[in-house]
């Protein structure tokens, strides 16, 4: 396997100096199965050989992830012998190798905050079981709550209205209003869990004031139907990427789906005979929506002619290897690129503007 993809004897020799033949061959197979091109596989191995040489010289043979972290710190300071582009490629290759080692069980897996901090683990389970919160929402909250536990400790009995408000104020200060609202929501949700578990006094969640906002102070930002059509026309299905983007944009504009909803669409959710699609939104309750002809045609066109031949159950995958299901961020980038390409003067450039546009069009037609 190694000889088939890496032509340089020197690169092969350096790779085999830190891994067994079976391990290196397995890594090459891992790259091939992930959808990387032969050129990228060889380039990745060449960069990895650079990194493994540094790791071996500095005594990190038995802990490659620690060696990668140390190399990254020095590379950011310009204190490695390689030029900036080579060092960047070496770090990128090292991250792929560490991912491979973790999947093989040869390196310790990353631990989430909910696994590392028992209090957050209990909150995570409560959020899923009792509140129906999505994993993405919980990860967003836990990013804030790790800082809260670090600042105030893991004894909820010591939490007071004053130190909680001080934490929220300090944590929100570097951010804008929207991020500040998320921080407040995270802390209030955590406090509601503590009250439910009998670990802090009632009323403490109400001690955290919400950010000032006024409902209906502005109308939702949307595009007129003609502008939506211009964006769709800018995604003529002439390349694999544009075939995918057009199908995603049709789902956004015709059905008003969220970016996260699109990332979770699996083959089993599509019923071609009844022309329906099953979608589970924030409530995680599956609902059947009609599948318009043009949307179905675009999805089918993508599956037949553009989708990478991967085993993922999700329909929409990233265009570049490693091919994985798209997420909310990917869908927003697709929407932004299409709007820019079309030249439409949009009020916002994210995926949500299409959801608002679909809802506005329905209201205008008497829905």
């Amino acid at each position: 396997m190694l000889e088939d993809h890496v032509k340089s004897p020197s690169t092969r020799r350096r790779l085999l100096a830190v891994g067994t033949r079976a391990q290196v061959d397995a890594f090459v197979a891992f790259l091939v199965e992930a959808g990387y091109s032969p050129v990228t596989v060889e380039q990745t191995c060449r960069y990895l050989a650079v990194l493994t040489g540094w790791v071996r010289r500095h005594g990190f043979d038995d802990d490659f992830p620690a060696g990668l972290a140390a190399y990254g710190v020095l590379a950011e300071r310009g204190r490695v012998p390689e030029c900036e582009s080579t060092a960047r490629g070496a770090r990128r290759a090292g991250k792929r190798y560490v991912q491979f080692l973790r999947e093989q069980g040869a390196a310790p897996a990353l631990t989430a905050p909910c696994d590392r901090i028992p209090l957050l683990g209990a909150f995570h389970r409560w959020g899923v079981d009792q509140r129906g919160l999505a994993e993405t929402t919980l990860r967003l909250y836990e990013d804030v709550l790790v800082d809260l536990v670090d600042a105030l400790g893991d004894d909820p009995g010591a939490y007071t209205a004053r130190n909680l408000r001080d934490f929220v104020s300090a944590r929100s200060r570097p951010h804008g209003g929207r991020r500040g609202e998320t921080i407040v929501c995270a802390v209030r949700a955590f406090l509601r869990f503590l009250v439910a578990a009998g670990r802090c006094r009632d009323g403490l969640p109400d001690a955290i004031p919400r950010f000032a906002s006024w409902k209906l102070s502005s109308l939702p930002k949307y595009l007129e139907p003609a502008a939506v059509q211009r964006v769709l026309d800018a995604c003529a299905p002439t390349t694999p990427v544009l075939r995918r983007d057009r199908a995603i944009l049709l789902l956004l504009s015709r059905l008003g789906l969220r970016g996260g909803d699109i990332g979770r669409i699996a083959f089993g959710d599509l019923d071609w005979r009844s022309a329906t699609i099953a979608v589970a939104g924030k409530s995680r309750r599956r609902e059947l929506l009609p599948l318009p002809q043009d949307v179905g045609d675009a999805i089918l066109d993508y599956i037949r002619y553009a989708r990478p031949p991967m085993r993922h159950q999700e329909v929409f995958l990233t265009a570049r290897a490693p091919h994985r299901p798209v997420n909310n961020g990917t869908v927003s980038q697709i929407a932004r690129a299409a709007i820019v390409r079309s030249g439409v003067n949009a009020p916002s450039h994210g995926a949500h503007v299409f959801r608002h546009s679909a809802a506005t069009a329905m209201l205008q037609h008497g829905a």
Side-chain angles (χ1 to χ4, degrees):
M1 176 67 75
L2 181 61
E3 285 79 4
D4 294 338
H5 292 86
V6 180
K7 307 304 179 186
S8 168
S10 172
T11 298
R12 294 199 299 266
R13 187 167 57 251
R14 284 185 290 170
L15 286 174
L16 293 171
V18 293
T20 64
R21 160 66 68 160
Q23 192 175 50
V24 174
D25 280 345
F27 175 62
V28 173
F30 167 80
L31 295 176
V32 173
E33 291 174 6
Y36 290 101
S37 68
V39 172
T40 304
V41 171
E42 184 166 16
Q43 187 180 60
T44 300
C45 290
R46 187 168 66 249
Y47 281 134
L48 182 61
V50 171
L51 179 61
T52 53
W54 187 94
V55 166
R56 190 179 70 256
R57 290 194 302 272
H58 290 80
F60 289 100
D61 304 62
D62 297 329
D63 194 350
F64 188 88
L68 172 62
Y71 182 87
V73 170
L74 294 177
E76 288 178 355
R77 300 174 183 172
R79 293 174 58 187
V80 294
E82 292 78 33
C83 68
E84 182 179 348
S85 62
T86 300
R88 187 165 55 247
R91 293 171 67 186
R92 189 164 55 244
K95 289 177 182 178
R96 291 170 183 163
Y97 188 59
V98 168
Q99 179 189 356
F100 160 75
L101 292 176
R102 285 180 175 142
E103 291 187 9
Q104 297 293 311
L110 289 173
T111 56
C114 59
D115 298 325
R116 193 168 64 251
I117 303 173
L119 191 60
L120 294 188
F123 167 71
H124 189 102
R125 291 188 293 273
W126 176 82
V128 172
D129 297 338
Q130 304 299 324
R131 305 291 292 182
L133 297 178
E135 289 290 336
T136 50
T137 301
L138 287 167
R139 285 197 295 270
L140 195 65
Y141 285 0
E142 287 161 9
D143 179 56
V144 175
L145 298 178
V146 167
D147 293 340
L148 185 147
V149 173
D150 287 344
L152 306 184
D154 59 359
D155 178 13
Y159 296 171
T160 66
R162 177 179 290 277
N163 63 24
L164 286 166
R165 282 198 295 263
D166 289 345
F167 167 79
V168 170
S169 177
R171 187 65 169 76
S172 304
R173 192 170 294 120
H175 305 288
R178 294 296 296 274
R179 178 59 175 163
E181 290 173 8
T182 300
I183 292 169
V184 169
C185 287
V187 174
R188 288 169 66 100
F190 183 55
L191 293 175
R192 283 194 291 270
F193 152 71
L194 294 176
V195 169
R199 303 189 64 174
C200 78
R201 61 184 175 82
D202 291 347
L204 201 54
D206 297 326
I208 310 300
R210 295 183 179 276
F211 269 64
S213 63
W214 292 266
K215 290 185 177 180
L216 305 178
S217 61
S218 63
L219 294 173
K221 298 176 181 178
Y222 68 95
L223 295 172
E224 294 290 347
V228 171
Q229 189 58 48
R230 282 180 58 190
V231 176
L232 292 172
D233 292 341
C235 291
T238 55
T239 67
V241 172
L242 289 177
R243 289 178 192 271
R244 180 203 62 183
D245 293 358
R246 182 176 178 82
I248 287 176
L249 289 168
L250 280 167
L251 284 167
L252 291 172
S253 59
R254 298 286 193 264
L255 300 183
L257 301 186
R258 298 180 180 89
D261 298 338
I262 290 175
R264 289 188 292 270
I265 294 174
F267 285 102
D269 296 326
L270 296 165
D271 188 335
W272 300 106
R273 289 186 179 276
S274 61
T276 59
I277 180 170
V279 178
K282 285 186 176 181
S283 65
R284 298 193 297 175
R285 183 177 65 249
R286 286 169 60 88
E287 296 182 356
L288 287 180
L289 299 177
L291 190 63
Q293 184 69 45
D294 58 344
V295 180
D297 288 344
I299 295 173
L300 197 58
D301 184 64
Y302 165 69
I303 293 171
R304 283 177 171 171
Y305 304 114
R307 187 181 185 274
M310 309 301 290
R311 297 180 180 178
H312 293 287
Q313 289 301 306
E314 292 82 3
V315 174
F316 294 102
L317 305 180
T318 55
R320 296 179 60 183
H323 301 295
R324 53 182 178 268
V326 300
N327 56 27
N328 187 47
T330 307
V331 174
S332 287
Q333 290 174 4
I334 290 170
R336 185 177 300 110
I339 291 171
V340 171
R341 190 164 52 245
S342 69
V344 168
N345 184 19
S348 69
H349 285 63
H352 230 57
V353 72
F354 291 97
R355 179 176 172 84
H356 290 163
S357 301
T360 302
M362 291 178 188
L363 288 173
Q364 290 174 344
H365 286 83

